[in-house]
Amino acid sequence: LAVLQAIVAPHAPYTCGRDGLQHCKDECDRLGLGLHVHLCETSGEVKDWKAANEDETPIGCMDKLGLVRKGLVAVHMTNVEGAEMDRLAAEAVSVVHCPESNMKLASGSCQVATLLSKGVNVAIGTDGCASNNDLDMYSEMRTAALLGKHVSAESTAVPAAQAIRMATLGGATALGLDQKIGSLEAGKSADIQAVSMGGIESAPLYDVLSHLAYCTGRHQVSDVWVAGRRIVEGRKVTTLDEEDLRRRALEWGAKIQ
C-alpha cells in the first residue's frame, strides 16, 4: 500500500461552480479517482444555491453531473433533505462529519444518527485549522458521539463503538481503502496506536471502547505505527525534527501576525 493516495478535491459547489465540478468529474473519470468536496455546510449556502439555480439543491447539481456515486466524499452535510439521504445511501456516498468546526461556525448539525440508520457510511473529520484549531481526532470523536445524541434527542444514538468505527474504518471506507486500512486484520496495513490507560484519569476502567470514545485524549497516545513503521515513540515523533518545526511555526506566526 502506498502511503500517499490522491483524490480530486474541489472546495464546494458555490466556490467552484457547475463548470468547475464538471471538470473535476472529467478528471475523476480519467484518473479513476474519488472526489472530496465540502457540501451543504450551511443553510445559507444551500439557500443561495437554490435561489440562483431554480430551486435545485447543491446535491441535486452534483447528482445531475453524475457525481453522486461511490467515491464521493461529502464533507459537513449539515443541511440535507430526507430524500437526499436516501439517494446518498443508494449510491454508497460517504459523509464526513466535522462536529467541532460546525459548532464553532454555527453551521448547523449533521443528522448523523439518521444517516447511519439509512446505511450511509459516516466518517469523522476535523475541517481546517481556522475552524477547528487543535485538529484532535480524539476530541472530535467524543464530540461526534455526544452531539449525535443531542441532535437526535436519543441517548443511545452514536454509541461508543459506532463513534470509534466512524473515526477509523469509516474514514478508510470513505477513501475506498477499507480493504487495506482502517482496522486491525490479517492482510491489512499495520497501522497501530498504543494508548496509555494507566493514569488516574482513566481509573477505574470498565469498558475500553467507552473509555476510548469518552475519556481518552491525544496526550495518552504513546506510540504510533503506520504500515508497520514506528513514527511516534514515547510521544516523540521519529520522522520529523520537532524543534525545527516549532521554530518555523513561530517564525511564520510572527510574519502572519
Side-chain angles (χ1 to χ4, degrees):
L1 173 67
V3 175
L4 297 179
Q5 302 283 328
I7 192 169
V8 177
H11 172 251
Y14 71 93
T15 51
C16 296
R18 197 178 303 268
D19 290 343
L21 292 174
Q22 179 64 61
H23 177 68
C24 288
K25 179 184 182 296
D26 293 342
E27 290 302 296
C28 287
D29 293 343
R30 183 176 71 86
L31 299 170
L33 299 176
L35 185 131
H36 173 290
V37 64
H38 291 218
L39 191 59
C40 298
E41 182 174 356
T42 69
S43 59
E45 165 196 338
V46 174
K47 181 180 179 181
D48 290 347
W49 183 273
K50 291 175 70 175
N53 293 276
E54 299 180 345
D55 210 38
E56 176 189 65
T57 66
I59 294 177
C61 168
M62 299 278 290
D63 206 4
K64 286 183 179 178
L65 292 174
L67 284 167
V68 175
R69 60 185 180 182
K70 187 173 183 180
L72 174 61
V73 183
V75 186
H76 297 301
M77 301 291 277
T78 67
N79 290 267
V80 185
E81 298 173 1
E84 292 178 329
M85 294 187 191
D86 294 328
R87 180 76 178 134
L88 298 176
E91 296 300 326
V93 171
S94 288
V95 170
V96 180
H97 179 35
C98 303
E100 293 185 1
S101 171
N102 296 155
M103 292 168 68
K104 183 180 181 182
L105 298 180
S107 300
S109 300
C110 180
Q111 303 293 319
V112 173
T114 302
L115 287 167
L116 290 170
S117 71
K118 291 178 178 292
V120 177
N121 175 61
V122 180
I124 294 176
T126 61
D127 207 10
C129 294
S131 59
N132 181 276
N133 299 97
D134 61 5
L135 305 180
D136 184 342
M137 278 295 289
Y138 278 91
S139 172
E140 209 75 37
M141 180 168 61
R142 181 174 187 268
T143 302
L146 297 178
L147 188 61
K149 295 167 177 55
H150 176 71
V151 170
S152 64
E154 177 53 68
S155 63
T156 60
V158 194
Q162 182 69 67
I164 293 169
R165 187 192 186 285
M166 288 160 58
T168 54
L169 192 55
T173 300
L175 296 174
L177 297 173
D178 50 300
Q179 298 302 309
K180 299 178 180 179
I181 63 172
S183 58
L184 295 178
E185 301 179 52
K188 284 193 174 186
S189 181
D191 300 337
I192 305 169
Q193 289 185 2
V195 181
S196 172
M197 291 191 176
I200 187 65
E201 71 272 20
S202 297
L205 171 58
Y206 297 115
D207 185 308
V208 172
L209 295 183
S210 178
H211 261 53
L212 282 172
Y214 299 120
C215 305
T216 301
R218 65 182 175 189
H219 66 283
Q220 291 168 253
V221 178
S222 62
D223 298 81
V224 177
W225 292 262
V226 174
R229 181 189 182 194
R230 196 177 204 167
I231 63 169
V232 176
E233 182 175 0
R235 300 201 69 235
K236 295 293 183 181
V237 179
T238 63
T239 57
L240 299 170
D241 185 334
E242 289 192 47
E243 287 304 317
D244 180 57
L245 285 175
R246 184 178 294 108
R247 177 186 59 78
R248 290 162 60 191
L250 291 174
E251 286 180 357
W252 277 103
K255 291 178 181 179
I256 293 171
Q257 191 174 34

